[in-house]
Amino acid sequence: MQVSRHYAHTPITEAIVDLKVTLPEGFSADDIENIHAHISEDFPIKEQIYAGLLQFESGPSIKIDASRKHHGLLFRSRDGLRIFQATLSGFTFNRLAPYNTWEEFSGDARRLWEVYKDVCRPSSVIRTAIRFINRLDLPGPILDFKEYLRTVPEVSPDLSQVLSGFFTQLQIPQEDLNCMLIINEAFTPPTSPEVVSVILDFDLFREHIWQSDDEDIWRFLEKLRHRKNLAFEASITDKTRRLIE
């Protein structure tokens, strides 16, 4: 398998770290407001996050109560490229393109995690995940996907081979890491008439109760990142590598 490498024209459009947590009893979404004082210089834009509630009440006549509940806050950097979500269910950090390095991305995520942890005091982390969404602009408008991708939709030879859209999802257990790798592959609107644009999306997660120190969690996220790199290299051909070198 091709070893992971750095590409000058990285196709990453979004990178995400997500940690689901258990918070202390009685902690409310209003308490999350205290985070902003610590990050307002870098993340001045603040938005409310609401979770939908749907309740059914049986009886002579069925009653449905649909409502929203304050669930946390979303913070944006001035340039809109970094997004930090602090909610009652966990911590999420998004980095939009341009993506530079894992060290920069994970460093930003960890600094924000420290703020979230200090304010929200989670008793445990119950799910760890990373997700990397790539956009590949391949020479078009007509091409043989197998020249660029190693996992492609197979169409019966008795059908037209022209595709106007597709979506493929693979769920591949990673037994050595006790985690799941989900690969999504789909058409996306092209950037120009001369290309065919494809989303190649890697989502790795593990559901596990972490009550140890942060070092264990971030070391594991590093392992997920390495596995993502291997999965990316296994999914593309040398023709694609030449496009993004």
Side-chain angles (χ1 to χ4, degrees), residues 15-240:
I16 303 163
V17 166
D18 182 75
L19 302 175
K20 293 291 184 285
V21 304
T22 302
L23 294 185
E25 187 175 349
F27 191 88
S28 73
D30 292 337
D31 297 323
I32 294 175
E33 292 277 353
N34 296 324
I35 286 177
H36 200 215
H38 300 276
I39 63 169
S40 59
E41 184 174 343
D42 292 328
F43 291 83
I45 303 167
K46 180 177 68 172
E47 303 171 20
Q48 302 282 338
I49 296 176
Y50 292 92
L53 295 175
L54 189 61
Q55 295 182 326
F56 293 87
E57 184 178 335
S58 61
S61 60
I62 297 177
K63 297 180 181 180
I64 301 176
D65 177 21
S67 60
R68 298 192 310 163
K69 184 178 180 181
H70 186 202
H71 190 59
L73 292 168
L74 180 148
F75 307 99
R76 297 182 191 273
S77 60
R78 283 186 174 84
D79 59 10
L81 300 181
R82 293 178 297 161
I83 302 168
F84 167 31
Q85 298 177 64
T87 69
L88 294 176
S89 57
F91 161 94
T92 307
F93 177 63
N94 307 56
R95 167 71 203 204
L96 305 182
Y99 175 90
N100 294 316
T101 65
W102 167 259
E103 289 73 23
E104 178 185 88
F105 169 62
S106 62
D108 286 345
R110 188 157 186 180
R111 283 188 292 273
L112 292 169
W113 165 250
E114 290 298 328
V115 175
Y116 179 89
K117 187 176 62 172
D118 288 345
V119 172
C120 300
R121 304 286 181 182
S123 55
S124 62
V125 173
I126 60 175
R127 184 181 187 273
T128 55
I130 64 166
R131 185 174 181 182
F132 283 78
I133 302 171
N134 301 269
R135 179 195 184 100
L136 299 173
D137 292 324
L138 307 176
I142 298 174
L143 81 162
D144 181 354
F145 281 107
K146 291 183 179 179
E147 293 184 8
Y148 297 92
L149 299 169
R150 298 181 65 190
T151 300
V152 296
E154 286 285 348
V155 181
S156 165
D158 296 330
L159 297 173
S160 168
Q161 300 299 297
V162 178
L163 296 176
S164 62
F166 79 91
F167 174 80
T168 300
Q169 182 178 93
L170 306 175
Q171 299 185 19
I172 308 173
Q174 307 294 292
E175 295 182 355
D176 59 324
L177 296 180
N178 192 24
C179 74
M180 179 66 72
L181 165 64
I182 297 178
I183 303 176
N184 295 310
E185 191 175 286
F187 273 152
T188 192
T191 54
S192 74
E194 292 77 32
V195 303
V196 174
S197 297
V198 176
I199 293 294
L200 196 53
D201 174 359
F202 299 91
D203 185 2
L204 285 127
F205 65 90
R206 179 181 179 186
E207 294 181 347
H208 174 79
I209 298 176
W210 302 81
Q211 294 177 325
S212 56
D213 61 33
D214 280 354
E215 291 302 324
D216 286 346
I217 294 173
W218 291 91
R219 276 196 295 266
F220 184 70
L221 290 172
E222 172 67 35
K223 290 180 181 179
L224 294 185
R225 173 252 183 172
H226 179 67
R227 184 57 51 87
K228 179 274 301 181
N229 286 347
L230 294 179
F232 178 78
E233 294 296 340
S235 300
I236 63 173
T237 68
D238 286 339
K239 266 196 171 184
T240 299

